[in-house]
Amino acid sequence: MGNRLYRLIIVGLAMAAMLGGCRSQKGVVKNNNQNQPRKPDVTDVVVRLDTIRNATYHRYSANFSCEVEGISVNGQIRIVHDSCIWISVSKIIEVGRVMITPTRVSGYSRILGKYYDGTYEDVRKRWGIEIDYGTIEALLVGNCPPNCKRSKEPERKGETVTLWYDQGKRKVTMTKDFGSKMLTSTLVSMTTPKMSVKCGYQKRMASDGQMLPSEIDAKVTASGLDKGTKLTLSKITLNKVQKTPFEMPGGLKKL
């Protein structure tokens, strides 16, 4: 049980927009009479394939449940936009607590007597995961990760649109529903170090007039790490002020 909880905390820590414009347009209709003004054609409609409907909020909270290596846990996620992600993990009693900020990833488990506190560079060196705060927050709420630059033209097949972007050293591949313009999956990957973080958004639920993911299939692959889980979210609430208490207990050993 201790080893499983130890791995659970590691996975929790690890898993703990600027979009390029795109226009697709029909070809120019050939006109044999060059002096004759061309009348507007109602079929000449510009279709934007790169538009993504992101959730907007200042605060976010939700209850969650998931299973990692046969251990079922639940808890709560609280987000203050661009500021912090607070996670409490419980198994009857609180197992651990995680605080993610734009500069650090911190967490502890009194049951295991362990804690972790490090920068994103520390996370990269230890687990091979190249990530940043803004991307983690976007993945949790089903938004497009920040600072993305289009690397190729989007493609539509039926009601599914695939979009490709560069995000610094990382590649971001997303799929969205054409009609709703909401994301159905996001893959963040790198070749050196080789790593990927993928989230699939299977279901959504309404909150404050917006549709937020209520099921997230999450998978993290990196050097020595290959973990996945389905995160089930409920009681999603936007813009309700809630505390994010976090204080590292004394007497714990560093992971």
Side-chain angles (χ1 to χ4, degrees):
M1 179 69 174
N3 288 335
R4 285 182 171 184
L5 289 174
Y6 174 83
R7 291 193 293 270
L8 174 66
I9 296 302
I10 291 178
V11 174
L13 289 169
M15 297 183 57
M18 186 184 298
L19 295 177
C22 168
R23 291 178 180 266
S24 65
Q25 185 172 344
K26 292 193 171 184
V28 176
V29 178
K30 185 179 291 185
N31 189 341
N32 293 327
N33 188 348
Q34 299 298 325
N35 297 322
Q36 180 66 35
R38 180 175 176 271
K39 295 181 181 180
D41 189 337
V42 294
T43 63
D44 291 346
V45 178
V46 176
V47 179
R48 294 293 301 256
L49 294 179
D50 62 345
T51 304
I52 296 172
R53 182 174 294 173
N54 287 325
T56 57
Y57 59 91
H58 180 60
R59 292 178 179 268
Y60 167 103
S61 67
N63 294 344
F64 75 87
S65 62
C66 64
E67 184 176 297
V68 179
E69 295 188 347
I71 302 176
S72 297
V73 298
N74 53 56
Q76 190 173 66
I77 301 172
R78 298 174 184 174
I79 300 174
V80 181
H81 182 52
D82 286 340
S83 179
C84 73
I85 301 168
W86 178 95
I87 303 172
S88 174
V89 182
S90 301
K91 177 71 175 178
I92 302 177
I93 61 174
E94 187 176 63
V95 173
R97 193 170 289 186
V98 176
M99 175 66 81
I100 304 172
T101 71
T103 59
R104 305 191 73 79
V105 177
S106 307
Y108 65 83
S109 172
R110 284 193 173 95
I111 293 177
L112 298 178
K114 301 285 186 178
Y115 80 94
Y116 180 81
D117 180 56
T119 64
Y120 289 94
E121 177 63 15
D122 295 331
V123 171
R124 184 192 65 78
K125 289 179 178 178
R126 177 152 189 170
W127 290 293
I129 300 174
E130 177 75 38
I131 201 94
D132 62 89
Y133 175 87
T135 299
I136 295 173
E137 183 177 334
L139 290 172
L140 284 173
V141 299
N143 282 356
C144 175
N147 304 319
C148 286
K149 183 179 180 180
R150 190 182 67 220
S151 59
K152 59 186 292 188
E153 292 294 327
E155 292 182 0
R156 178 185 176 185
K157 292 184 178 180
E159 291 303 301
T160 299
V161 178
T162 304
L163 307 104
W164 294 271
Y165 293 93
D166 290 331
Q167 190 196 39
K169 299 177 181 179
R170 297 186 289 263
K171 301 291 185 182
V172 179
T173 304
M174 295 175 285
T175 60
K176 72 166 191 176
D177 177 73
F178 177 76
S180 69
K181 299 180 176 61
M182 289 184 286
L183 294 179
T184 54
S185 71
T186 299
L187 170 66
V188 180
S189 62
M190 283 185 66
T191 54
T192 307
K194 188 175 182 180
M195 75 100 198
S196 66
V197 180
K198 184 174 183 179
C199 288
Y201 307 106
Q202 304 302 317
K203 295 181 181 179
R204 289 178 178 261
M205 65 180 296
S207 179
D208 196 29
Q210 302 186 69
M211 299 299 293
L212 282 299
S214 58
E215 277 190 8
I216 303 175
D217 284 323
K219 185 175 178 62
V220 178
T221 302
S223 57
L225 185 66
D226 187 5
K227 303 294 181 183
T229 189
K230 176 175 284 189
L231 198 66
T232 302
L233 299 156
S234 62
K235 296 183 179 180
I236 300 174
T237 304
L238 299 182
N239 301 320
K240 179 181 178 180
V241 177
Q242 291 182 307
K243 295 181 179 180
T244 54
F246 187 89
E247 184 176 352
M248 199 73 77
L252 303 182
K253 294 183 179 180
K254 189 168 185 177
L255 285 175

